[in-house]
Amino acid sequence: MRRLVQLTVLSLGLSLPASAVAATTPGAAFGVDIRMGGRFDNMRMCVATPEGFTAGPMADISVFTELGLGDKLALNFTLPIFRPVFFGAAFRMLQFEPDFALLFRAEGSGNADWVFGPTAGVSLHFGPDNLSSAANRGVEFFAWGPVGGVYVGRAVDREKGNMDLEYGLGVNATPMYAEHDLWPGHEPLDGIVVAGYLGLKLSWAR
């Protein structure tokens, strides 16, 4: 549990410089990102499916900052909030997956443009494996992995009001590497997570 708290505090601390840049840089934006979808995960315990089941739902609510790098290019940083807090409080687990996206904008129709680009981040896990359940927890271990993916969306600039909308589709994959010395008596296990999600962003320009 102590390791869980330390990892969460460290991850939140690393995100502060990005938030500070967005808050003081002209042309930046901030907002809320809601994601819902599904995933294949052969390593981590899933709280919504039976033990040993490798497919299931995924959802998160995050905050994000976006910094314009040019007329058609922006750098987006997303900081998950719901899943790390909920999993930590309810299940004594850590699943934390912040990410960056390099987003290109192409003209669409009316006031809606296409937004697309690569995403990259890191996945941190602390908890049991996928053969466990909330009622039958195995030995807890730490695992991590790099996240890579792509995102395509439609950005709608609203003429009235200062809140813009964006909706899109993202897919990503993560090879997960377990810290085996924290998992005595078990065969070494590395895994993979593949996820797809629908996203909705509510953003405010600064």
Side-chain angles (χ1 to χ4, degrees):
M1 189 63 180
R2 192 165 105 187
R3 179 181 287 270
L4 172 61
V5 173
Q6 290 172 340
L7 287 170
T8 302
V9 171
L10 175 61
S11 302
L12 291 173
L14 291 174
S15 73
L16 290 178
S19 299
V21 169
T24 58
T25 304
F30 66 97
V32 177
D33 187 349
I34 303 170
R35 299 178 182 180
M36 299 185 67
R39 56 99 186 101
F40 170 87
D41 185 344
N42 66 357
M43 173 181 276
R44 307 174 300 183
M45 183 182 86
C46 178
V47 301
T49 58
E51 53 200 69
F53 205 67
T54 55
M58 60 84 67
D60 216 335
I61 301 174
S62 309
V63 294
F64 72 89
T65 58
E66 190 165 298
L67 178 63
L69 303 179
D71 291 341
K72 302 294 183 182
L73 183 64
L75 181 65
N76 181 286
F77 173 72
T78 301
L79 176 67
I81 299 295
F82 172 76
R83 190 157 40 138
V85 173
F86 176 64
F87 277 31
F91 303 105
R92 293 180 290 118
M93 291 176 58
L94 172 69
Q95 285 191 13
F96 183 64
E97 299 178 344
D99 66 62
F100 287 91
L102 188 62
L103 299 176
F104 300 87
R105 182 178 286 241
E107 271 189 53
S109 57
N111 61 339
D113 293 336
W114 290 103
V115 180
F116 58 93
T119 62
V122 64
S123 177
L124 301 177
H125 162 81
F126 184 77
D129 69 348
N130 76 310
L131 299 178
S132 304
S133 66
N136 182 29
R137 296 173 68 95
V139 177
E140 296 178 335
F141 64 99
F142 172 71
W144 74 278
V147 182
V150 292
Y151 171 81
V152 178
R154 291 275 280 175
V156 181
D157 298 325
R158 300 173 66 212
E159 296 179 0
K160 295 182 179 180
N162 59 359
M163 182 186 72
D164 294 328
L165 304 176
E166 184 178 311
Y167 54 91
L169 173 66
V171 293
N172 56 54
T174 309
M176 296 291 293
Y177 304 102
E179 192 172 326
H180 300 133
D181 59 349
L182 292 181
W183 208 15
H186 290 69
E187 290 295 322
L189 172 68
D190 294 326
I192 187 168
V193 179
V194 180
Y197 62 87
L198 296 171
L200 174 66
K201 291 182 179 180
L202 310 176
S203 65
W204 292 265
R206 296 187 64 89

